[in-house]
């Protein structure tokens, strides 16, 4: 038998999590198994069986650009973008419902509070966005927008248990002929939580059969024939989301 283990208290935090004050997440790994082999008929037939189990709990860092508190209210006066030279510059937004005769989009009316045209009037806010905002569909930023246009870093704990086993038989038919048969199976179940309605559960099962015939034609010449068959099955179930919940028709 064997066992290999890894524990989170032995791991270092990653750079972005440490920068944003995100604590070190779980990162547990266990890999253990057992094997047994021996003769069935002495000098003729032998068997081998083994089983291995893995238990993975890993932390994956999710990095994204999410709306700030001001942007959630339609206020883009503090939002920055990059020009063609990579320099930070204030973003400019346009009213998609106000296009002049030349086809140019026009800015929004001047906001009476900020004195800026970079504010979407509340009366023009999309009902879908209002529903998304009211139900906190997007998480709040964990920090300011950095040079990579990222203001959200959070860990997601993914669990991936798997089980694998093998059954193998060897038979010495004659002094010159050897037969082998093997059956293997691996089953993995992956669960990934979603921060943006992108969570999923995935079940993967692989089955494999192998047969081998080895014939010693001469002391310096072998003829080996192999047959293999594999079946792969994968079923992924995404996180269920009802679009009507957020105002989509």
């Amino acid at each position: 038998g064997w066992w290999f283990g890894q524990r989170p208290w032995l791991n270092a935090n990653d750079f972005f999590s440490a920068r944003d004050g995100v604590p070190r997440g779980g990162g547990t790994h266990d890999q253990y198994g057992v094997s047994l082999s021996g003769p069935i008929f002495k000098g003729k037939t032998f068997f081998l069986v083994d089983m291995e189990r893995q238990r993975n709990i890993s932390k994956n860092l999710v990095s994204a650009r999410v709306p700030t508190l001001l942007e959630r209210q339609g206020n883009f006066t503090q939002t920055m973008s990059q020009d063609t030279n990579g320099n930070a510059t204030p973003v400019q937004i346009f009213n998609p419902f106000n296009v002049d005769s030349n086809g140019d989009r026009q800015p929004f009316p001047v906001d009476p509070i900020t004195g800026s045209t970079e504010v979407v009037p509340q009366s023009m806010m999309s009902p879908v966005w209002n529903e998304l905002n009211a139900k906190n569909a997007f998480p709040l930023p964990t920090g300011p927008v950095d040079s990579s246009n990222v203001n959200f870093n959070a860990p997601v704990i993914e669990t991936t248990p798997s089980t694998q086993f093998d059954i193998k038989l060897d038979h010495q038919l004659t002094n010159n002929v050897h037969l082998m048969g093997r059956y293997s199976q691996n089953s993995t179940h992956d669960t990934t939580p979603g921060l943006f309605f992108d969570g999923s559960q995935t079940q993967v099962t692989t089955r494999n059969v192998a047969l081998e015939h080895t014939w010693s034609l001469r002391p310096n010449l072998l003829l080996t024939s192999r047959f293999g068959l594999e079946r792969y099955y994968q079923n992924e179930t995404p996180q269920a989301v009802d679009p009507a919940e957020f105002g989509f028709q």
Side-chain angles (χ1 to χ4, degrees):
W2 64 89
W3 174 81
F4 169 79
Q6 182 180 2
R7 292 297 178 267
W9 53 272
L10 292 172
N11 299 336
N13 204 355
D14 63 83
F15 171 80
F16 296 103
S17 294
R19 184 194 64 179
D20 292 340
V22 178
R24 182 174 49 189
T28 301
H29 175 77
D30 288 301
Q31 182 176 351
Y32 51 90
V34 63
S35 65
L36 179 66
S37 62
I40 299 176
F41 299 107
K42 187 176 181 180
K44 280 288 186 179
T45 308
F46 303 85
F47 77 94
L48 181 146
V49 294
D50 66 73
M51 188 278 294
E52 181 176 276
R53 172 80 173 171
Q54 293 192 45
R55 187 175 70 96
N56 294 300
I57 303 176
S58 57
K59 185 191 82 167
N60 298 318
L61 182 68
V62 175
S63 300
R65 170 65 162 89
V66 297
T68 65
L69 286 173
L70 284 177
E71 291 169 353
R72 291 166 186 258
Q73 302 167 21
N75 187 331
F76 291 85
T77 58
Q78 304 299 317
T79 303
M80 305 295 288
S81 64
Q82 290 185 342
D83 60 19
T84 55
N85 296 320
N87 300 316
T89 182
V91 72
Q92 186 176 8
I93 61 175
F94 299 92
N95 183 351
F97 302 105
N98 186 1
V99 181
D100 64 17
S101 58
N102 295 321
D104 296 327
R105 299 168 301 169
Q106 300 302 301
F108 285 100
V110 175
D111 179 63
I113 298 177
T114 63
S116 172
T117 59
E118 311 308 327
V119 178
V120 180
Q122 291 297 311
S123 60
M124 299 184 66
M125 297 284 280
S126 166
V128 173
W129 168 249
N130 289 334
E131 288 292 331
L132 290 169
N133 196 16
K135 296 180 180 179
N136 295 318
F138 296 97
L140 291 171
T142 57
V145 179
D146 61 18
S147 58
S148 301
N149 198 35
V150 170
N151 65 349
F152 176 81
N153 292 287
V156 169
I157 305 302
E158 179 181 4
T159 59
T160 313
S162 67
T163 303
Q164 175 179 314
F165 69 86
D166 303 281
I167 302 173
K168 183 173 181 284
L169 292 175
D170 288 273
H171 180 68
Q172 194 69 35
L173 188 63
T174 67
N175 289 335
N176 297 328
V177 177
H178 176 265
L179 303 176
M180 184 277 293
R182 175 183 56 78
Y183 174 78
S184 302
Q185 179 172 314
N186 181 285
S187 297
T188 302
H189 186 86
D190 179 89
T191 300
T192 305
L195 296 176
F196 301 97
F197 305 102
D198 55 351
S200 65
Q201 294 196 29
T202 304
Q203 176 69 41
V204 177
T205 302
T206 304
R207 296 179 174 91
N208 180 277
V209 176
L211 300 174
E212 182 180 273
H213 175 276
T214 302
W215 183 12
S216 298
L217 299 172
R218 294 198 300 266
N220 61 348
L221 181 63
L222 289 175
L223 175 63
T224 300
S225 303
R226 295 189 182 97
F227 169 81
L229 180 65
E230 180 170 284
R231 183 176 186 270
Y232 177 87
Y233 170 80
Q234 177 173 330
N235 180 39
E236 183 172 353
T237 304
Q239 181 178 350
V241 179
D242 183 7
E245 179 183 357
F246 301 108
F248 290 98
Q249 302 297 326

